[in-house]
Amino acid sequence: MSEEMLYARSDGSLNTGALPDSGSFSAWHLLGHTATRGDVLTESFAHVIATYCDPHCSPFVPALGLSHAAFTELLQTRLPHFTPPPHWLDAQRAAVGTAGPLGEFPDLLQLLLDHRATADKQHRRVAHLVASACMGNDHLWQDLGLPDRKALSALLSSHVPTLAARNTGDMKWKKFFYKQLCEREGINACKSPSCAACADYDKCFGA
């Protein structure tokens, strides 16, 4: 974690300095600087940006994989009251690597882009949002800062409907995305011919 982070004060203004404790970062969702409070998608952007755009943390997904200009426009649109520190914003100019923990990012992003409901700026941003959160270690709805899995399913059904519709068995979303990538490459990574007969069924479909 960086020695200096930006966090929201209770009065809605910004304060710069060392975070008082490790738990503060999880609460640093930039929500005091959103354009529309209570909007689930905006809250998700705030959470993912706070979590994955920190160059001192891993995984670090610079600018959510967007161009620097597109990322700056996203901040201005979703977090118009947020003025990022120059060193933080400069760090977002880095390119997303294709090795290590982010090695699968480009393929996941392309999968999501290929299934956008509309090829517009909004849906592109959501694709980058979801692909960035997929780099985390928790359930996808948690990595996106969403209230529950139902909210995630609604977001995906709205923004990548043809992809979401393929998940007929309600497989866990990260497992489902990677299965789709394997099928694209003609790889059968499953141990059993059907999910019902697989010993790892609960890992893919369990609560």
Side-chain angles (χ1 to χ4, degrees):
M1 183 176 296
S2 59
E3 294 180 359
E4 286 193 348
M5 294 297 296
L6 203 65
Y7 59 95
R9 288 177 15 188
S10 59
D11 61 1
S13 61
L14 291 176
N15 193 7
T16 305
L19 289 175
D21 54 63
S22 60
S24 296
F25 185 72
S26 64
W28 183 62
H29 294 172
L30 307 180
L31 297 182
H33 313 286
T34 60
T36 52
R37 290 197 184 190
D39 176 67
V40 172
L41 186 54
T42 295
E43 291 178 358
S44 184
F45 271 109
H47 175 80
V48 173
I49 289 169
T51 304
Y52 299 103
C53 292
D54 178 7
H56 297 274
C57 291
S58 180
F60 168 47
V61 188
L64 304 182
L66 291 162
S67 69
H68 194 266
F71 183 67
T72 301
E73 184 180 6
L74 168 62
L75 294 178
Q76 293 171 346
T77 302
R78 291 283 176 179
L79 307 167
H81 309 301
F82 170 51
T83 303
H87 70 275
W88 181 91
L89 193 58
D90 285 343
Q92 308 310 318
R93 296 181 182 275
V96 176
T98 57
L102 301 185
E104 293 149 343
F105 180 87
D107 290 334
L108 281 168
L109 176 60
Q110 192 59 55
L111 175 68
L112 294 161
L113 290 173
D114 288 346
H115 288 276
R116 284 177 293 170
T118 306
D120 60 7
K121 188 181 302 182
Q122 166 69 5
H123 287 76
R124 172 172 286 278
R125 289 171 176 171
V126 171
H128 280 262
L129 171 77
V130 175
S132 299
C134 281
M135 301 298 99
N137 296 319
D138 292 323
H139 292 299
L140 184 54
W141 66 269
Q142 294 170 318
D143 288 326
L144 280 164
L146 295 172
D148 50 39
R149 193 170 187 275
K150 182 179 179 180
L152 169 59
S153 296
L155 184 150
L156 295 174
S157 294
S158 175
H159 290 85
V160 285
T162 55
L163 181 60
R166 292 184 181 181
N167 191 4
T168 56
D170 200 26
M171 180 181 282
K172 291 178 181 177
W173 285 107
K174 284 186 184 179
K175 293 277 189 181
F176 172 73
F177 290 156
Y178 285 106
K179 188 172 186 295
Q180 293 296 302
L181 291 179
C182 286
E183 289 180 357
R184 277 191 168 195
E185 298 298 322
I187 300 171
N188 182 12
C190 296
K191 300 176 183 178
S192 299
S194 69
C195 289
C198 184
D200 292 329
Y201 182 89
D202 288 343
K203 294 180 180 179
C204 293
F205 296 92

